[in-house]
Amino acid sequence: MRLLIVMGLLASLAFAPVARAEDGHDLWLRYRPVEAGAGYGVAALAPVAPTPTLTLARAELARGLTGLTGAPPTADAGARDGVILIGTPQSSPAIARLVLPLKAAGDEGYLIRTVKIDGKSATVIAANRDIGVLYGVYRYLALIQTRRPVDSLDLVSAPKVRLRMLNHWDNLDRTVERGYAGQSIWDWWKLPGYSADPRYVDYARANASIGINGTVLNNVNAKALSLTAPYIAKAAALADVFRPYGIKVYLSARFSAPIEIGGLKTADPRDPAVAAFWKAKADEIYTAIPDFGGFLVKANSEGQPGPQDYGASHADGANMLADALGPHGGVVIWRAFVYSHEQPDDRAKQGYSEFKPFDGQFRDNVVIQVKNGAIDFQPREPFHPLFGAMPKSNLGMEFQITKEYLGFATHLVYLGPLYEETLKSDTYAHGQGSTVARVIDGSLDGRKLTAMAGVANIGADRNWSGSQFDQANWYVFGRLAWDPEASSRDIAADWARMTFSNDQRFVTPVVDMMMASRETAVDYMTPLGLHHQMGRSHHYGPGPWVSGGERADWTSVYYAKAGPDGLGFDRTATGSNAVAQYAPPAAACFADLKCVDEKELLWFHHLPWDYRLKSGQTLWDGLVTHYSRGVAGVGEMQKTWAGLTPYVDAERHAQVADFLTIQHREAQWWRDASVAWFQSFAKRPLPAGEAAPPESLHYYESLSFPYAPGI
Amino acid sequence: MRLLIVMGLLASLAFAPVARAEDGHDLWLRYRPVEAGAGYGVAALAPVAPTPTLTLARAELARGLTGLTGAPPTADAGARDGVILIGTPQSSPAIARLVLPLKAAGDEGYLIRTVKIDGKSATVIAANRDIGVLYGVYRYLALIQTRRPVDSLDLVSAPKVRLRMLNHWDNLDRTVERGYAGQSIWDWWKLPGYSADPRYVDYARANASIGINGTVLNNVNAKALSLTAPYIAKAAALADVFRPYGIKVYLSARFSAPIEIGGLKTADPRDPAVAAFWKAKADEIYTAIPDFGGFLVKANSEGQPGPQDYGASHADGANMLADALGPHGGVVIWRAFVYSHEQPDDRAKQGYSEFKPFDGQFRDNVVIQVKNGAIDFQPREPFHPLFGAMPKSNLGMEFQITKEYLGFATHLVYLGPLYEETLKSDTYAHGQGSTVARVIDGSLDGRKLTAMAGVANIGADRNWSGSQFDQANWYVFGRLAWDPEASSRDIAADWARMTFSNDQRFVTPVVDMMMASRETAVDYMTPLGLHHQMGRSHHYGPGPWVSGGERADWTSVYYAKAGPDGLGFDRTATGSNAVAQYAPPAAACFADLKCVDEKELLWFHHLPWDYRLKSGQTLWDGLVTHYSRGVAGVGEMQKTWAGLTPYVDAERHAQVADFLTIQHREAQWWRDASVAWFQSFAKRPLPAGEAAPPESLHYYESLSFPYAPGI
């Protein structure tokens, strides 16, 4: 056979080697090589004392430097530039000399300092305890990852918050309530027999790299089963993996467990048999998990059992558990997210009303965990009135990292500005400057047991968080838990550099895009202080028409209060007077139309459709303008991202681009459905240039989403 | 500061570069470099016609060769050894000369031949249609992957079965019925907006590499919603991805869809409005998916709706759907897995009883899909009596790849021998040699529309199948669908070589281990023809005591019929006479204690505890011996695997080892619980040397598994 003719057609094209696509699994710990000539030389690592944490800290340093510099560090002792010494005063005589500067590092912080040895430059990463060394190693690597110079360092960093925690709303069947990143990463079925899944280690690495030191494994809507021996063994297997990374395991505890698994007839916290059950259960857990963190409890909230079922108080319940855990060093984290079926008052007021009276009555090892706002993780909420209002209690922050009300995984919304906005809010509890951040870090009232929790957005999806950019929300949460006064913009820049590229032509537009993304989402979802306008139950997409059903405060109409007369929830003295729960200067501003931020306008005020906004537009016109601005904002993000192909690998770029397309379509849907709905009350024409919704209101109302994730 | 002392302690250990761990995601398409000197040179690829399938076939060839040879193939035309030309008679004049030898390749097969051009060696991978070229490319790569010589080839291969399909029992909420590998890989929520997930392409590559050409996306326990416009659009997005890989998309159709989504009051197949609904639905689907495969239907089975709800027959229902799909070239695959609440007869008989009378009454584009055995995917079942009994109908095989009754993902059970045992079974329908394989490939009765389906074991787990070795079950299914007479041992060897190592010191023991693993599982679960002794509903672990509840034939006691008098289900003429459903020579053997294989003894016979087995042991002693042999068999696998560390990367080795540890513990549990249960009837001592179960029967009965996966 003669194939000559065909052969003659052969082109000279060569096949490029197949590049390993990036799927986002490496998070911000990619450790890709720095640009040639960036000036980061090959390092040498001094040996460390063989403790579990120091061993893995050194291994992580080696792994990171190998990736970043393209060559493994040596362990050679010869006097040369670039030796890195890590350890604690206990592990190393040289570091023992640093006791004084190490004071500022505290229990978990670190010191990184460039020193000279025989005229050679060396770096010390030191801490008082092993875990601080690991944190310092991640910081040192991050300096290179973000292209900071590392040849003349002298920095100390210590966390301002003691408990920096993830709350997993993960169920025992591996579904995740409000999870949009696939199944739970906890494969309970295969635990404890198979705990060697590398994913568990990578989870611990990622968390340690941003200073997270606690994880609540199971959903706050808890099953008592998670407190039985087989599940304690499963949790213990995970605790063993996480321990060297400084991460303690906690469990959500179902308050009625004494009945369900203890054979008792009651869970009354004042019943000695109940207290004995919990004491024995705590002993059992600590036998399996000596450094168990403690219990997170959702009690008397949304149908969960609690002390009020027996006429006892939150303090009775929390303190009883605290007494069981206290001897082991454990804590009780008691959620303040409560509102009652029987209580007809504004839901925004109920958490404060139920908890404020008990200030000072909780044990020292109890933390009251308060959501950032008084409703439920909306795109925007004013800070929760409990912040600053319980000076004699340990108040912890609960942020939501997963985007329950923010479009799930396919909407790009960087939550840093949301967190920062809350943390920088001034409670005026002790006058100006009494920020929420200072409540959380304990400095305002001298609290020692401080806490910040984030409801995790982590799942078994390859990229962990359901999207590339949702990784930034996990990252910024950890960074702000370490330092609640940090800048969300700076953190976004660090994340973007570590996750994608240090090229300034990438970093600047991406950080701008991220910083604007939250306001964009607020605009297309719930502008001007509107809240809770999402579809029923799944919280996906617009549902301003949601009404009726089990309870009024699970409906949209309850919150928007749209009518022919206008729009918004009057929380001033003429309404629910929720403003009175704030310190007087804050309350006065919220109540005052001249002072209140228009971003929170309809949260606090019911206003006529023709109310004049600062822009000069009427409320109606301005509302429509905000919705459309939100849609346009997503269009801007699409444009920005399309221009960034040179800086991002094809796989991640395509995924983000596709998700932005989905987001744009859905932003338009939000705008159209909301405009159609509110126009049915406002009965006014659209502002000039605004297109009418392409479908009827009936159409938008008819849409259903039977398999929406995360329920 | 002087760090000299510490520096002096530095060891000279260098850090090795971090090796990319293998997690099993690459399946059998790893394309790792061949050993130096193995004699596979750098290739050159001739250009191809730019059709989608030829383009990706060439890209796959380049990818594979790049990985295997360590260098990308060139596309240079110069006369040299090693040029590879791929294509069809239509795409290439040179291949057009191969029309004669290509006859044997048929529509989907291929020819691979070494040729000489100007004294240089070249390879042609040719086929009559593009898809055959892709199959040929995978075969060529597999030759190198398994270290066969490729310098003197002349082979033709064509599939013996026309429809080679996966059945996904995947639900719209991403749970997978009987799935043990995480969530469904179909992310319905993000489809059609995000169909660029590389996982979809990798799924298509893996399937195409073993010749699978159809996939039913959704569970046979179907929702009508999957036939609505939004879900058709989602299926179409997947079909677009799979099309160039030769994979057609099918959907499970809920028979009552005309009521649920069609606004009709009936789903009676004889109602013209119902027929019109399905015709319109077919038209709608084919508009979106021009090469849609057809419908899979589970009707009048386990609560699913069907034609019998209206007094119509299976033939009425199937033919009505066939008439809707026929004009588009679609097929109806109608499952024979039926058994009725109202029918008190032996469940093993019901499929035959219901379908045999309709032989010859089904349309040409209907396939009756029959499970390998008459009960339900047990560790061992005699072949289904329908095979050979419906010569005038298209009979397809349904195997289960997912291990519903075989320990889920953590038990190592290679299913090749199970499949092969069924396929090689002789139905005697037309005398000796009337094997099930010949029914399935159509040769026995001259059927053209042939089919083999496997219930997929695929999920979102990184390793696809829940364990490394479960990948082999996907692989062997595909290979046997291509050639039902192939050897499961040969296929195991190919898989082991491609998936792990070609080192004979690895291949020999691993293939031996795989080949023995199924009999080992039978031994510790259901020896000697016992069946359906698993825990209720989840089918996990031993549950021989399961009785009562909704229906007798969902219990264990129904099948084992243990009593003081003995054990086993009498299916001879003195019992249910199920044997009479087989052709006389087969029936006679099954009914004859001297002829029946002891492996199927208690399937067909109820025998006294002191019945003498061929070994000379009593039935009771032999039963216990089998259980213990199963436990010992897992111990052997552990030992074998422990010795293979030099040939397997650490991550995969550790996972398999941990799973074997779980399997060993559970095999012991199976043995102990089963022995405890049956001893309560046999009331005989254990054979000498056999240990008594360590726990009471009550203990084993009390175990519960509330979150067992896959339900």
Side-chain angles (χ1 to χ4, degrees):
Chain A
M1 189 188 331
R2 294 175 54 220
L3 297 175
L4 212 54
I5 298 166
V6 177
M7 295 300 149
L9 300 172
L10 286 173
S12 62
L13 175 75
F15 292 90
V18 181
R20 184 123 197 153
E22 288 212 47
D23 56 18
H25 188 73
D26 291 341
L27 295 162
W28 49 87
L29 301 176
R30 290 164 60 247
Y31 302 145
R32 294 296 187 283
V34 296
E35 305 73 24
Y40 301 100
V42 176
L45 303 193
V48 292
T51 71
T53 299
L54 290 182
T55 302
L56 70 86
R58 187 163 182 262
E60 186 77 22
L61 189 55
R63 173 181 180 159
L65 291 172
T66 302
L68 289 161
T69 68
T74 67
D76 194 283
R80 43 155 295 187
D81 280 335
V83 171
I84 303 174
L85 170 67
I86 71 174
T88 65
Q90 293 74 45
S91 79
S92 152
I95 289 173
R97 296 159 195 250
L98 292 169
V99 166
L100 207 62
L102 269 173
K103 280 221 164 128
D107 273 353
E108 295 184 282
Y110 53 82
L111 162 76
I112 307 180
R113 188 177 280 191
T114 308
V115 297
K116 287 277 178 191
I117 306 159
D118 289 346
K120 303 292 180 185
S121 177
T123 305
V124 175
I125 303 174
N128 294 309
R129 289 175 49 227
D130 286 3
I131 185 61
V133 177
L134 180 62
Y135 291 153
V137 161
Y138 280 115
R139 175 67 179 278
Y140 180 80
L141 291 170
L143 293 173
I144 302 177
Q145 289 176 281
T146 57
R147 306 296 185 268
R148 268 89 163 190
V150 293
D151 48 6
S152 178
L153 296 170
D154 188 6
L155 62 88
V156 178
S157 183
K160 294 183 184 167
V161 176
R162 192 164 130 198
L163 307 182
R164 305 175 300 278
M165 306 177 61
L166 291 183
N167 289 183
H168 286 267
W169 288 358
D170 293 18
N171 299 315
L172 303 184
D173 64 359
R174 289 192 79 177
T175 60
V176 180
E177 187 169 328
R178 310 311 177 183
Y180 312 105
Q183 282 189 303
S184 168
I185 53 170
W186 318 134
D187 190 349
W188 293 114
W189 183 254
K190 297 205 189 85
L191 286 167
Y194 182 59
S195 64
D197 189 335
R199 192 135 194 159
Y200 298 142
V201 170
D202 286 336
Y203 169 89
R205 290 175 57 237
N207 279 316
S209 79
I210 51 176
I212 287 171
N213 66 0
T215 181
V216 185
L217 299 177
N218 60 321
N219 192 349
V220 288
N221 293 319
K223 301 283 185 191
L225 193 72
S226 68
L227 300 174
T228 59
Y231 279 85
I232 291 170
K234 294 168 192 282
L238 291 175
D240 289 343
V241 176
F242 301 158
R243 186 168 296 112
Y245 293 89
I247 297 166
K248 285 187 180 181
V249 156
Y250 298 69
L251 292 172
S252 292
R254 184 162 165 91
F255 200 78
S256 53
I259 300 170
E260 290 148 347
I261 61 169
L264 301 182
K265 294 258 183 286
T266 180
D268 187 336
R270 297 159 306 188
D271 186 309
V274 170
F277 165 86
W278 285 109
K279 194 181 169 329
K281 186 53 70 181
D283 294 347
E284 180 188 358
I285 294 172
Y286 277 93
T287 301
I289 311 172
D291 57 349
F292 180 66
F295 291 139
L296 172 64
V297 186
K298 176 178 181 177
N300 292 120
S301 166
E302 300 185 320
Q304 292 297 313
Q308 294 176 344
D309 301 347
Y310 307 94
S313 72
H314 285 295
D316 292 332
N319 291 342
M320 180 271 295
L321 292 177
D323 291 342
L325 295 167
H328 302 284
V331 304
V332 171
I333 300 170
W334 194 269
R335 294 174 89 231
F337 179 64
V338 297
Y339 56 99
S340 158
H341 256 281
E342 292 72 38
Q343 177 57 264
D345 201 5
D346 178 3
R347 174 170 147 189
K349 294 169 64 179
Q350 295 188 37
Y352 178 98
S353 301
E354 283 204 38
F355 276 86
K356 166 80 177 160
F358 293 102
D359 187 29
Q361 296 183 31
F362 291 98
R363 296 281 188 275
D364 282 349
N365 63 330
V366 172
V367 176
I368 309 301
Q369 184 166 297
V370 182
K371 291 189 181 184
N372 59 294
I375 297 298
D376 194 14
F377 300 135
Q378 295 304 298
R380 168 166 283 122
E381 298 193 39
F383 70 90
H384 199 295
L386 275 174
F387 293 118
M390 294 186 71
K392 291 177 285 184
S393 308
N394 304 315
L395 275 208
M397 170 66 79
E398 178 175 318
F399 282 127
Q400 195 177 43
I401 307 173
T402 190
K403 304 212 306 301
E404 172 180 356
Y405 293 96
L406 282 148
F408 302 177
T410 44
H411 288 213
L412 196 166
V413 186
Y414 173 55
L415 297 177
L418 186 160
Y419 302 155
E420 183 173 358
E421 183 176 291
T422 300
L423 291 166
K424 294 207 166 143
S425 293
D426 199 334
T427 70
Y428 291 94
H430 301 320
Q432 201 168 5
S434 304
T435 60
V436 172
R438 295 193 54 224
V439 177
I440 296 310
D441 70 19
S443 63
L444 191 66
D445 295 303
R447 308 301 311 177
K448 297 280 173 255
L449 181 55
T450 56
M452 190 184 298
V455 180
N457 66 350
I458 297 166
D461 271 7
R462 188 65 186 159
N463 63 26
W464 298 88
S465 301
S467 82
Q468 305 302 329
F469 274 85
D470 278 327
Q471 297 178 356
N473 294 327
W474 177 9
Y475 181 84
V476 69
F477 166 77
R479 291 282 304 269
L480 287 172
W482 184 276
D483 179 6
E485 295 183 319
S487 148
S488 66
R489 177 176 285 274
D490 292 348
I491 296 170
D494 284 351
W495 177 81
R497 288 171 180 275
M498 295 162 80
T499 305
F500 289 109
S501 166
N502 274 282
D503 194 307
Q504 203 59 50
R505 290 166 296 182
F506 174 84
V507 176
T508 301
V510 160
V511 171
D512 286 347
M513 175 178 89
M514 290 170 72
M515 292 304 292
S517 64
R518 186 268 190 132
E519 203 61 42
T520 289
V522 169
D523 273 339
Y524 65 71
M525 287 181 173
T526 49
L528 292 170
L530 286 175
H531 47 290
H532 213 300
Q533 301 298 295
M534 294 74 182
R536 191 195 294 273
S537 172
H538 50 63
H539 300 158
Y540 171 73
W545 44 78
V546 170
S547 66
E550 202 178 336
R551 39 189 309 158
D553 55 6
W554 285 354
T555 71
S556 300
V557 299
Y558 173 89
Y559 294 104
K561 299 207 187 301
D565 63 318
L567 184 65
F569 199 127
D570 182 3
R571 292 192 166 105
T572 69
T574 57
S576 77
N577 204 24
V579 295
Q581 293 183 335
Y582 291 96
C589 182
F590 289 146
D592 179 359
L593 282 170
K594 289 189 292 295
C595 183
V596 67
D597 191 324
E598 273 190 356
K599 291 173 175 167
E600 295 173 343
L601 189 64
L602 302 174
W603 183 282
F604 288 114
H605 298 273
H606 185 82
L607 296 169
W609 293 108
D610 291 329
Y611 172 82
R612 284 287 157 188
L613 298 172
K614 286 172 186 157
S615 65
Q617 286 186 298
T618 63
L619 173 60
W620 166 245
D621 285 358
L623 187 71
V624 177
T625 300
H626 271 283
Y627 282 120
S628 297
R629 187 180 299 161
V631 182
V634 182
E636 287 302 313
M637 293 202 282
Q638 289 182 284
K639 213 178 300 174
T640 298
W641 189 251
L644 298 175
T645 45
Y647 313 107
V648 184
D649 53 282
E651 180 175 334
R652 289 191 295 169
H653 192 278
Q655 189 185 61
V656 172
D658 284 355
F659 284 12
L660 284 170
T661 303
I662 293 170
Q663 184 179 9
H664 189 259
R665 190 174 62 237
E666 295 184 352
Q668 187 70 51
W669 164 42
W670 262 100
R671 180 266 183 199
D672 291 336
S674 303
V675 166
W677 171 256
F678 289 119
Q679 195 172 29
S680 74
F681 297 94
K683 302 208 182 295
R684 283 158 172 79
L686 294 176
E690 287 284 354
E695 306 281 353
S696 70
L697 178 56
H698 175 75
Y699 166 82
Y700 298 115
E701 293 189 56
S702 74
L703 297 175
S704 71
F705 303 93
Y707 294 103
I711 299 175
Chain B
M1 190 187 328
R2 295 174 55 219
L3 296 177
L4 213 53
I5 298 167
V6 177
M7 295 299 149
L9 300 173
L10 286 175
S12 61
L13 175 75
F15 291 91
V18 180
R20 185 125 196 152
E22 288 211 49
D23 55 19
H25 189 72
D26 293 340
L27 294 163
W28 49 86
L29 301 176
R30 290 163 61 246
Y31 302 145
R32 295 297 188 281
V34 297
E35 306 72 22
Y40 300 101
V42 175
L45 302 193
V48 292
T51 71
T53 299
L54 290 181
T55 302
L56 70 86
R58 189 165 182 263
E60 186 77 23
L61 188 54
R63 173 181 180 158
L65 292 172
T66 302
L68 288 162
T69 68
T74 67
D76 194 282
R80 43 155 294 187
D81 280 335
V83 170
I84 303 173
L85 169 67
I86 71 173
T88 64
Q90 294 75 45
S91 79
S92 152
I95 289 172
R97 298 161 193 246
L98 293 168
V99 164
L100 207 62
L102 269 172
K103 280 221 164 128
D107 273 354
E108 296 183 281
Y110 53 82
L111 163 75
I112 307 180
R113 189 177 279 193
T114 308
V115 297
K116 285 278 177 192
I117 306 158
D118 289 347
K120 303 290 181 187
S121 177
T123 305
V124 176
I125 302 174
N128 293 308
R129 290 173 51 226
D130 287 4
I131 186 60
V133 177
L134 180 62
Y135 291 153
V137 160
Y138 280 114
R139 175 69 179 278
Y140 181 80
L141 290 170
L143 293 173
I144 303 177
Q145 289 177 280
T146 56
R147 306 295 185 270
R148 267 90 164 190
V150 293
D151 48 6
S152 177
L153 295 169
D154 189 6
L155 62 88
V156 178
S157 183
K160 295 183 184 167
V161 176
R162 191 164 132 198
L163 308 181
R164 305 174 300 278
M165 308 179 58
L166 291 182
N167 289 184
H168 286 265
W169 288 359
D170 293 19
N171 299 314
L172 303 183
D173 64 0
R174 288 192 81 178
T175 58
V176 180
E177 185 169 329
R178 310 309 177 180
Y180 313 104
Q183 282 189 302
S184 168
I185 55 170
W186 318 134
D187 190 349
W188 295 113
W189 183 252
K190 298 203 189 85
L191 287 169
Y194 181 59
S195 64
D197 189 334
R199 192 133 194 158
Y200 299 141
V201 171
D202 286 335
Y203 169 87
R205 291 175 56 238
N207 279 316
S209 77
I210 50 176
I212 288 171
N213 67 359
T215 180
V216 185
L217 299 176
N218 60 322
N219 194 349
V220 288
N221 293 318
K223 301 284 185 190
L225 193 71
S226 67
L227 299 174
T228 59
Y231 279 85
I232 291 170
K234 295 169 193 281
L238 291 176
D240 289 344
V241 176
F242 301 158
R243 186 168 296 112
Y245 294 90
I247 297 166
K248 284 187 180 180
V249 156
Y250 298 68
L251 291 173
S252 291
R254 184 165 165 89
F255 200 78
S256 54
I259 301 170
E260 289 148 350
I261 62 170
L264 301 182
K265 294 258 183 286
T266 179
D268 187 335
R270 296 158 308 187
D271 187 309
V274 170
F277 165 86
W278 285 108
K279 195 182 167 329
K281 185 54 69 183
D283 294 347
E284 179 188 358
I285 294 173
Y286 278 93
T287 301
I289 311 172
D291 57 349
F292 179 66
F295 292 140
L296 173 64
V297 186
K298 175 178 181 176
N300 293 121
S301 167
E302 300 184 321
Q304 293 297 312
Q308 295 178 343
D309 301 347
Y310 307 95
S313 72
H314 285 295
D316 293 332
N319 290 342
M320 180 272 296
L321 292 176
D323 290 343
L325 295 167
H328 303 284
V331 303
V332 171
I333 300 169
W334 194 271
R335 294 174 91 231
F337 179 64
V338 298
Y339 55 98
S340 158
H341 256 282
E342 291 72 36
Q343 175 57 264
D345 201 5
D346 179 2
R347 175 170 147 189
K349 294 169 64 181
Q350 296 188 38
Y352 178 99
S353 301
E354 283 203 39
F355 276 84
K356 164 81 177 161
F358 293 103
D359 186 30
Q361 297 184 30
F362 292 98
R363 296 280 190 273
D364 282 348
N365 63 330
V366 173
V367 176
I368 308 301
Q369 184 167 298
V370 182
K371 292 189 181 182
N372 59 293
I375 297 297
D376 193 13
F377 299 136
Q378 296 304 297
R380 167 167 284 122
E381 298 193 40
F383 69 91
H384 199 296
L386 275 173
F387 293 118
M390 293 185 72
K392 293 178 284 184
S393 308
N394 304 315
L395 276 207
M397 170 65 78
E398 178 175 318
F399 282 127
Q400 194 176 44
I401 307 173
T402 189
K403 302 211 306 301
E404 172 180 356
Y405 293 96
L406 282 148
F408 302 0
T410 42
H411 289 212
L412 195 167
V413 186
Y414 173 55
L415 297 177
L418 187 160
Y419 302 155
E420 184 173 357
E421 181 175 293
T422 300
L423 291 166
K424 294 207 167 145
S425 293
D426 200 335
T427 70
Y428 291 94
H430 299 323
Q432 202 169 2
S434 304
T435 61
V436 173
R438 295 193 56 221
V439 177
I440 296 311
D441 70 17
S443 62
L444 191 65
D445 295 304
R447 309 301 310 178
K448 296 278 172 257
L449 181 54
T450 55
M452 190 185 295
V455 180
N457 66 350
I458 297 166
D461 272 7
R462 186 67 183 156
N463 64 25
W464 298 89
S465 301
S467 81
Q468 306 301 330
F469 274 85
D470 279 327
Q471 297 178 357
N473 294 327
W474 177 8
Y475 181 84
V476 69
F477 167 77
R479 291 282 304 270
L480 287 172
W482 185 276
D483 178 6
E485 295 183 318
S487 146
S488 66
R489 176 178 286 274
D490 292 349
I491 296 170
D494 283 352
W495 176 83
R497 288 171 179 276
M498 295 163 80
T499 304
F500 289 108
S501 166
N502 275 281
D503 194 307
Q504 204 59 49
R505 290 165 295 182
F506 174 83
V507 176
T508 301
V510 160
V511 170
D512 286 346
M513 175 178 89
M514 291 170 72
M515 292 304 291
S517 64
R518 184 269 191 131
E519 204 60 44
T520 289
V522 169
D523 272 338
Y524 65 72
M525 288 181 172
T526 49
L528 292 170
L530 286 175
H531 47 289
H532 214 300
Q533 300 298 297
M534 293 75 184
R536 193 195 292 274
S537 171
H538 49 64
H539 300 159
Y540 171 73
W545 45 78
V546 169
S547 64
E550 202 178 336
R551 41 189 307 157
D553 56 5
W554 284 353
T555 69
S556 301
V557 298
Y558 173 88
Y559 295 103
K561 300 210 187 299
D565 64 318
L567 182 66
F569 199 126
D570 182 3
R571 291 192 168 105
T572 69
T574 57
S576 77
N577 204 24
V579 295
Q581 294 183 334
Y582 292 95
C589 182
F590 290 147
D592 179 359
L593 282 170
K594 287 188 294 293
C595 183
V596 67
D597 191 324
E598 271 189 358
K599 291 173 174 168
E600 295 171 345
L601 189 65
L602 302 173
W603 184 282
F604 289 114
H605 298 274
H606 185 81
L607 297 169
W609 292 109
D610 291 328
Y611 173 83
R612 285 286 156 187
L613 299 171
K614 287 172 187 158
S615 66
Q617 284 187 300
T618 65
L619 173 60
W620 166 245
D621 285 359
L623 187 73
V624 176
T625 300
H626 271 282
Y627 282 121
S628 295
R629 187 181 299 161
V631 182
V634 182
E636 287 302 312
M637 293 201 285
Q638 289 183 284
K639 214 179 296 172
T640 299
W641 189 251
L644 298 174
T645 45
Y647 313 106
V648 185
D649 53 283
E651 181 176 334
R652 289 191 297 169
H653 192 277
Q655 191 185 60
V656 172
D658 284 355
F659 284 12
L660 284 171
T661 303
I662 292 171
Q663 183 178 8
H664 189 260
R665 191 174 60 236
E666 295 185 352
Q668 187 70 52
W669 165 43
W670 263 100
R671 180 265 183 201
D672 292 337
S674 303
V675 166
W677 171 255
F678 290 119
Q679 194 172 29
S680 74
F681 296 94
K683 304 215 181 289
R684 283 159 172 77
L686 294 177
E690 287 285 352
E695 305 281 351
S696 70
L697 178 58
H698 175 77
Y699 166 82
Y700 298 114
E701 292 189 55
S702 74
L703 297 175
S704 71
F705 303 92
Y707 294 104
I711 299 177

